[in-house]
Amino acid sequence: MIDNKVALVTGAARGIGAAIANEFARTGHAVTLVDIEDAELKATANKVRRDGDLVYPLQADLRDLEACEEAISKTIKKWGRLDVLVNNAAIHDFHTLRQMTPLSWNAVIHLNLTVPAFLAQYAAREMEPRRGGVIVNVTSIDAHFCKGLAPAYVAAKGGLLSLTYDMATLLARSNIRALAVSPGAVDTALSQDYRDADGQSLTEDLSNLTNDLIPLRRWAQPDEIAKTIRWLASDEASYITGTEITVDGGLSHNNLARSLKRRMHPDEF
């Protein structure tokens, strides 16, 4: 067993997940990176190793719950312990309520809600005998701040948020903390998926619109989400559990575009 704390990060090949893995490695953790994309995962693991040598890339299709259980057991076999689970892996679709099918609904709900639930169960089994651990579920402001575009995603993230509260209440007896981190607009490949009916990218239009609504006037960078998660998993946040930390630049509590406010009060905005 190593002395370093161990973090397992899902969806770690790119975007927020890669940034989370890098942040934990940078701060002295051993890190298991889990993703279905083997080539991207290995490339990310090589980058992460520049900040920390204790890196274990683990290719797995987490849609298979047996693979989820194996990811936990392989992490224990590799490092001898598990201190932090970050449930980051997710998929998104843009089927509206009218368009969705049982297949599309189940795919999103399964990976975004069912998989984190069982990963938490499997991780807690290993954490409880050691009387400590942290589970961080990456949720989304979309659980509160909807668009009418992605009911399965919204439902899954809302469910994951509620699940966080439930697991925090249950696992506190074993000194295991559970937290939800809800990003807003983040500059990742996933944010490039918005397209119009003809398949043309809406990224620039979306960026302009959201930057006008975000009080900090920009999208987050993945490392800003990662640093929040790493801090929440640290002993400095030892009394924080069963809650949601929103990292959205103020977006979800602002409902008027800056451009309109400037027209009303040019010297204020």
Side-chain angles (χ1 to χ4, degrees), residues 52-84:
D53 292 332
L54 301 175
V55 176
Y56 176 34
L58 179 58
Q59 191 276 335
D61 183 351
L62 296 178
R63 292 172 298 184
D64 178 355
L65 294 182
E66 289 186 5
C68 294
E69 193 165 16
E70 286 178 4
I72 301 295
S73 63
K74 287 178 179 178
T75 295
I76 298 299
K77 184 177 180 180
K78 175 72 173 178
W79 308 119
R81 60 190 288 177
L82 176 62
D83 301 276
V84 183

Side-chain angles (χ1 to χ4, degrees), residues 5-208:
K5 287 189 174 181
V6 174
L8 186 155
V9 183
T10 69
R14 59 180 181 170
I16 294 173
I20 295 167
N22 191 74
E23 178 65 16
F24 276 108
R26 186 186 68 81
T27 52
H29 293 72
V31 188
T32 299
L33 294 78
V34 183
D35 206 288
I36 194 172
E37 299 293 343
D38 193 37
E40 278 188 288
L41 179 63
K42 289 176 180 175
T44 297
N46 287 333
K47 293 177 183 177
V48 171
R49 283 193 182 96
R50 297 172 189 169
D51 283 318
D53 292 332
L54 301 175
V55 176
Y56 176 34
L58 179 58
Q59 191 276 335
D61 183 351
L62 296 178
R63 292 172 298 184
D64 178 355
L65 294 182
E66 289 186 5
C68 294
E69 193 165 16
E70 286 178 4
I72 301 295
S73 63
K74 287 178 179 178
T75 295
I76 298 299
K77 184 177 180 180
K78 175 72 173 178
W79 308 119
R81 60 190 288 177
L82 176 62
D83 301 276
V84 183
L85 167 66
V86 182
N87 279 315
N88 170 72
I91 55 172
H92 202 303
D93 72 22
F94 294 102
H95 296 107
T96 69
L97 187 69
R98 297 187 184 95
Q99 297 169 334
M100 68 184 190
T101 66
L103 186 63
S104 68
W105 170 271
N106 288 335
V108 174
I109 294 294
H110 182 73
L111 184 61
N112 294 14
L113 179 56
T114 303
V115 166
F118 282 92
L119 277 168
Q121 182 191 79
Y122 306 145
R125 288 179 191 165
E126 303 296 337
M127 294 174 175
E128 285 178 313
R130 292 178 54 82
R131 302 285 305 164
V134 182
I135 298 170
V136 180
N137 296 318
V138 179
T139 50
S140 172
I141 65 167
D142 283 6
H144 311 284
F145 197 60
C146 305
K147 307 175 184 71
L149 289 174
Y153 184 81
V154 168
K157 291 300 186 180
L160 187 56
L161 186 59
S162 295
L163 179 65
T164 303
Y165 304 149
D166 189 77
M167 68 173 66
T169 304
L170 174 70
L171 299 176
R173 175 182 174 181
S174 299
N175 197 36
I176 297 170
R177 297 186 292 117
L179 298 137
V181 171
S182 292
V186 185
D187 187 13
T188 67
L190 192 63
S191 65
Q192 313 297 315
D193 286 348
Y194 290 82
R195 298 187 178 278
D196 65 19
D198 296 322
Q200 300 300 309
S201 174
L202 292 172
T203 300
E204 184 176 355
D205 291 341
L206 179 64
S207 177
N208 291 337

Side-chain angles (χ1 to χ4, degrees), residues 4 8 33 44 59 74 88 110 112 169 194 199 205 211 218 223 235 238-239 250 255 260-261 264-265 268:
N4 306 62
L8 186 155
L33 294 78
T44 297
Q59 191 276 335
K74 287 178 179 178
N88 170 72
H110 182 73
N112 294 14
T169 304
Y194 290 82
D205 291 341
N211 286 343
R218 63 177 179 83
D223 70 291
D235 291 340
S238 58
Y239 200 61
N255 67 359
L260 294 177
K261 289 184 283 191
M264 297 170 66
H265 299 286
E268 297 291 324

